[in-house]
Structure formats: structure tokens, C-alpha cells
């Protein structure tokens, strides 16, 4: 059974530990870190298997960036997906989430596409010889994606164009 663990300002030590864990998974041996962040971890049988770091929050534009790492495919359940995006869109009032990925990460690209993300390939963003995908999800696309509608009974908007 997966359990969600929140960091943040009320759990500062856990917040810092989970951000360090995530950074070490993403950039092993590079001594990189996040600044001004909140974390959400997922444990399975008491062992941390995934962390999402919410960072670069821009309240004026309503944009937030997410970075995530995991050691297991078991972490990304519907409950976890809902919690991740409910934090962004319902709790802090974001209107768009940004997630950066490598173009070769086909598994994550499939998940994001099915969840409603739009992807943009930016040449050289990871360095001279490596592109990066900037993936965005708006609050409107989140509310109407098939997982939210199916899991939480929300009705998809049918507003006229």
C-alpha cells in the first residue's frame, strides 16, 4: 500500500530530506539542489519510493514547476496523481504546472499525454547536444482529464467555442 508523505513548512526536516533524495535521484553525484520548495513523498511498506518537488512557484502568473524521481513504478497511482495536482491547482491556486523531461523518456511522455499535458521540444535546453521537453498542464485541462472525471465524478465542461 502506498502512503503519501508531505513535507512543506510544517514538516521542514522531512521536506529537506525528501528534496535531497529527489535531487540525488535526478542528478546523482552532482551536488545539485532545489530552492523554495514543497515536497510530497510516496512510501511503500514504509520505504520511500518516490518524491515530487514543487518549486519555482510564481504566484503572480500562477505557474509552478514540478520535478519527480522514483525507484519504483508502483508510486504513480490515481490517488497520488490527484494529490499532486490538487496541491497545485486547489491548494495553492496555480493555473499551470510545468514539468521538464528528457525526450527519450517515452514512458513518462505517454503518461503525461494521457493525463492532458501538452509538450514542447526545446533544442539544446539540456546542453549543446541535448534537447528537453517542456510539458504543461493547465487547471482546465486537469479538471477535464479522463482520470479526474472518472475518479472524482467531475463533469467535463462543454462550453461553446
Amino acid at each position: 500500500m502506498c502512503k503519501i508523505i508531505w513535507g512543506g513548512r510544517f514538516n521542514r526536516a522531512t521536506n529537506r530530506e525528501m528534496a535531497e533524495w529527489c535531487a540525488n535521484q535526478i542528478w546523482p553525484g552532482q551536488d545539485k539542489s532545489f530552492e523554495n520548495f514543497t515536497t510530497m513523498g510516496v512510501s511503500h511498506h514504509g520505504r520511500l519510493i518516490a518524491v515530487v518537488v514543487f518549486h519555482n512557484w510564481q504566484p503572480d502568473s500562477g505557474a509552478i514547476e514540478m520535478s519527480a524521481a522514483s525507484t519504483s513504478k508502483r508510486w504513480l497511482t490515481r490517488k497520488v496523481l490527484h494529490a499532486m495536482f490538487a496541491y497545485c491547482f486547489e491548494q495553492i491556486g496555480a493555473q499551470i504546472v510545468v514539468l521538464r523531461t528528457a525526450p527519450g523518456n517515452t514512458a513518462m511522455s505517454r503518461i503525461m499525454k494521457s493525463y492532458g499535458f501538452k509538450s514542447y521540444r526545446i533544442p539544446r535546453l539540456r546542453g549543446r547536444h541535448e534537447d528537453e521537453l517542456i510539458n504543461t498542464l493547465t487547471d482546465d485541462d486537469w479538471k477535464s482529464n479522463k482520470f479526474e472525471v472518472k475518479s472524482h465524478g467531475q463533469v467535463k465542461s462543454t462550453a461553446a467555442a
Side-chain angles (χ1 to χ4, degrees), residues 3 5-6 20 28 32 61 65 73 77-78 80 88 91 100 102 116 122 126-127 131 137 150:
K3 178 182 174 188
I5 306 158
W6 286 97
E20 288 172 2
K32 291 187 177 184
S61 63
E65 190 169 346
K73 293 182 180 182
T77 64
R78 286 186 182 193
V80 170
C88 296
Q91 193 168 344
R100 297 165 55 152
I122 310 297
R126 287 187 170 219
D131 300 348
L137 181 68
K150 187 174 183 178

Side-chain angles (χ1 to χ4, degrees), residues 5-8 11-19 39:
I5 306 158
W6 286 97
N11 200 351
R12 291 183 191 276
T14 300
N15 194 50
R16 184 177 54 258
E17 290 168 8
M18 288 196 300
T39 57

Side-chain angles (χ1 to χ4, degrees), residues 45-63:
H45 297 298
R47 185 169 164 254
L48 190 64
I49 61 169
V51 172
V52 179
V53 179
F54 305 93
H55 56 100
N56 294 338
W57 170 229
Q58 303 295 318
D60 292 343
S61 63

Side-chain angles (χ1 to χ4, degrees), residues 4-23 26 33-42 50-58 63-69 75 83-88 91-92 97-99:
I4 295 172
I5 306 158
W6 286 97
R9 69 178 183 254
F10 298 114
N11 200 351
R12 291 183 191 276
T14 300
N15 194 50
R16 184 177 54 258
E17 290 168 8
M18 288 196 300
E20 288 172 2
W21 184 93
C22 187
I26 295 171
S33 61
F34 295 98
E35 294 183 30
N36 301 322
F37 56 85
T38 293
T39 57
M40 183 187 91
V42 178
V51 172
V52 179
V53 179
F54 305 93
H55 56 100
N56 294 338
W57 170 229
Q58 303 295 318
I64 191 163
E65 190 169 346
M66 287 179 16
S67 295
W75 80 281
M84 285 171 24
F85 294 105
Y87 170 75
C88 296
Q91 193 168 344
I92 66 169
V97 170
V98 178
L99 186 72

